[in-house]
Amino acid sequence: MGVSDQKEATASKEKPLKHVLLAGIYSQPRSGYELTKWMQVAGQHCWSVEHSSVYPALRELEKDELIKSERLPGTRGPERSIYSITAAGLEKLTAWVANGSPRPAIKDEQLLRVLCFDLLPREVALAQIRSVRADHQAQLEFFLERQSVLTEHQPGPLLVTRRGVLAEQAYIAWCDEVEEMIARRPD
Amino acid sequence: MGVSDQKEATASKEKPLKHVLLAGIYSQPRSGYELTKWMQVAGQHCWSVEHSSVYPALRELEKDELIKSERLPGTRGPERSIYSITAAGLEKLTAWVANGSPRPAIKDEQLLRVLCFDLLPREVALAQIRSVRADHQAQLEFFLERQSVLTEHQPGPLLVTRRGVLAEQAYIAWCDEVEEMIARRPD
DNA sequence: CTGTGCATGTAACATGTTACATGATTCA
DNA sequence: TGAATCATGTAACATGTTACATGCACAG
């Protein structure tokens, strides 16, 4: 009993990245390269790391037999390892999914800049917030395009995309409020 | 030429935390303890670190003469150092505020869980998303309360709080979409 | 007189980035 | 033939967390 108990006790505090990778592999077998792209594009608003963190994590997951790999020649490019989830991995992923998450961590420097906007001439502040707005507008359009090709048959990807849409719309609405308030302020 | 050029070249890539602290001190002179609280409460959706990162950063800022400290007896509690921003610090902060920010980094495990919700029995998934919604509802109420005591005379804090309100409302709206879609799905 | 909040600090550890390194394939 | 993309990997570094450590002051 002792051994397996210990394993289950430590299971919950495992690195989030490993679970993210498990989720990515579960949703579709992928290579390390593809997983990196997936995180940076589709999962942009979920979790994203550089490839240098991905490959070691994959090797650990494989060592623990939560995933298995298959060498395949690249369609265009060199050979790569395609990972797929094992029964043990699926079990672990399910247990993780069943747990609640802490509130998402946010690191948004732009908010701090807005907090200090009275340091800037009005025109500079206005230009900045408009540029930020444009950036989020572009991101919104990306999510809207993804949304349009998804159906309720893929509820997971659809809901993740919906989150992107709603989040970007909220950010844009906030930018508009910021712009309005700056415009009203005496210079 | 060489020396000051180098200093200005490296200036832009300084640690974000230092700028966050400068912003916090600029908005109001504070102690390390108060800055930590400020980040975790008011700045919850901006930038937040533990106190163990704050004190060393403050000492570096003081060493660079961007802030200065004053020892004061605590109103109730031990003596503390109250930091205020210097002219050099204000200059640096202004330069930072004038720059644009990269898009905010988000680490939201919950999205990945929803991506894999088909692994869970419907009731478990429903319970989870409702609990997440309640958490964000509570956070929304916190921001709404802050908003109600702020006026346009403090545009900075007001806009930061507005961001909190809009962000939480968007998250709650998303939770509702998730709940709806799960409820519709065959079990 | 004990717990809670105020207040500061250090050290070991975890996690992730940047930069360095390599090499294949495809397209212009 | 040179740039772009695919594909994987390592090592040094940056940043932040957890845990450990200390001590005052006030309330119950």
Side-chain angles (χ1 to χ4, degrees):
Chain A
M1 227 195 221
V3 174
S4 76
D5 273 346
Q6 207 193 344
K7 252 197 170 152
E8 275 172 33
T10 53
S12 49
K13 61 166 182 130
E14 269 220 74
K15 327 181 169 191
L17 174 56
K18 289 198 184 180
H19 296 289
V20 174
L21 291 173
L22 275 182
I25 291 164
Y26 161 70
S27 83
Q28 178 178 331
R30 291 178 225 250
S31 67
Y33 185 85
E34 288 168 330
L35 283 163
T36 307
K37 289 288 165 209
W38 171 72
M39 285 192 284
Q40 288 171 354
V41 178
Q44 208 278 335
H45 52 310
C46 305
W47 200 282
S48 179
V49 298
E50 298 299 317
H51 73 267
S52 54
S53 307
V54 170
Y55 294 111
L58 286 173
R59 250 171 287 134
E60 280 178 59
L61 285 170
E62 190 168 25
K63 197 194 64 197
D64 294 344
E65 300 188 41
L66 302 175
I67 60 177
K68 58 182 194 292
S69 65
E70 193 186 354
R71 294 295 283 188
L72 284 182
T75 39
R76 49 177 179 287
E79 205 182 43
R80 64 254 154 85
S81 292
I82 302 291
Y83 292 93
S84 51
I85 199 162
T86 64
L90 203 58
E91 202 178 314
K92 190 126 188 178
L93 178 61
T94 305
W96 177 75
V97 171
N99 291 337
S101 307
R103 235 176 280 137
I106 301 174
K107 303 249 147 157
D108 187 353
E109 297 182 29
Q110 188 59 45
L111 253 73
L112 277 319
R113 290 198 162 87
V114 169
L115 179 68
C116 303
F117 257 9
D118 52 355
L119 288 171
L120 300 183
R122 186 167 55 190
E123 286 314 313
V124 176
L126 277 176
Q128 180 176 127
I129 202 67
R130 280 177 190 141
S131 141
V132 168
R133 201 204 120 109
D135 190 35
H136 285 274
Q137 181 72 43
Q139 192 62 32
L140 170 60
E141 265 145 37
F142 168 78
F143 285 127
L144 284 174
E145 199 150 324
R146 295 201 117 230
Q147 181 184 275
S148 69
V149 300
L150 289 168
T151 70
E152 288 212 17
H153 295 123
Q154 295 107 37
L158 180 55
L159 285 170
V160 169
T161 304
R162 281 297 297 161
R163 171 66 192 136
V165 168
L166 293 171
E168 295 301 341
Q169 284 174 341
Y171 210 104
I172 290 167
W174 176 71
C175 288
D176 289 337
E177 286 194 11
V178 174
E179 189 176 338
E180 233 182 283
M181 197 166 288
I182 298 169
R184 262 208 306 280
R185 128 192 153 186
D187 202 20
Chain B
M1 232 201 243
V3 175
S4 76
D5 272 347
Q6 208 192 345
K7 249 196 172 151
E8 276 172 31
T10 52
S12 49
K13 62 168 184 127
E14 268 221 75
K15 327 180 168 191
L17 174 57
K18 289 197 183 180
H19 295 289
V20 174
L21 292 173
L22 276 182
I25 292 165
Y26 160 71
S27 84
Q28 179 180 330
R30 290 178 227 249
S31 68
Y33 186 84
E34 287 168 331
L35 283 163
T36 307
K37 288 289 163 207
W38 171 71
M39 285 192 285
Q40 288 172 352
V41 178
Q44 209 277 335
H45 53 310
C46 305
W47 201 282
S48 179
V49 297
E50 298 299 318
H51 73 267
S52 54
S53 307
V54 170
Y55 293 111
L58 286 173
R59 251 171 287 133
E60 280 178 59
L61 285 170
E62 190 170 24
K63 197 194 64 197
D64 295 343
E65 301 188 42
L66 301 175
I67 59 175
K68 58 182 196 291
S69 66
E70 194 186 354
R71 294 295 282 186
L72 284 182
T75 40
R76 50 179 180 286
E79 205 181 42
R80 65 252 155 84
S81 293
I82 302 293
Y83 292 93
S84 49
I85 199 163
T86 63
L90 204 57
E91 203 177 314
K92 191 125 188 178
L93 178 61
T94 305
W96 178 74
V97 171
N99 291 337
S101 306
R103 235 177 280 138
I106 301 174
K107 304 249 146 156
D108 187 353
E109 295 182 30
Q110 188 59 47
L111 251 74
L112 277 319
R113 289 199 163 87
V114 169
L115 179 68
C116 304
F117 258 9
D118 53 356
L119 288 170
L120 300 182
R122 186 166 56 189
E123 285 313 314
V124 175
L126 277 175
Q128 180 176 127
I129 201 66
R130 280 176 190 143
S131 140
V132 168
R133 199 204 121 109
D135 190 35
H136 286 273
Q137 181 72 44
Q139 193 62 32
L140 170 60
E141 265 144 37
F142 169 78
F143 284 127
L144 284 173
E145 199 151 324
R146 293 202 118 232
Q147 180 184 275
S148 69
V149 299
L150 289 168
T151 70
E152 288 211 17
H153 294 122
Q154 296 108 38
L158 180 54
L159 284 170
V160 169
T161 303
R162 282 297 297 162
R163 171 66 191 138
V165 168
L166 293 171
E168 295 302 341
Q169 285 174 341
Y171 210 105
I172 289 166
W174 176 71
C175 287
D176 288 338
E177 286 194 11
V178 174
E179 188 176 338
E180 233 181 284
M181 197 166 289
I182 298 169
R184 260 207 307 280
R185 126 191 154 187
D187 201 21

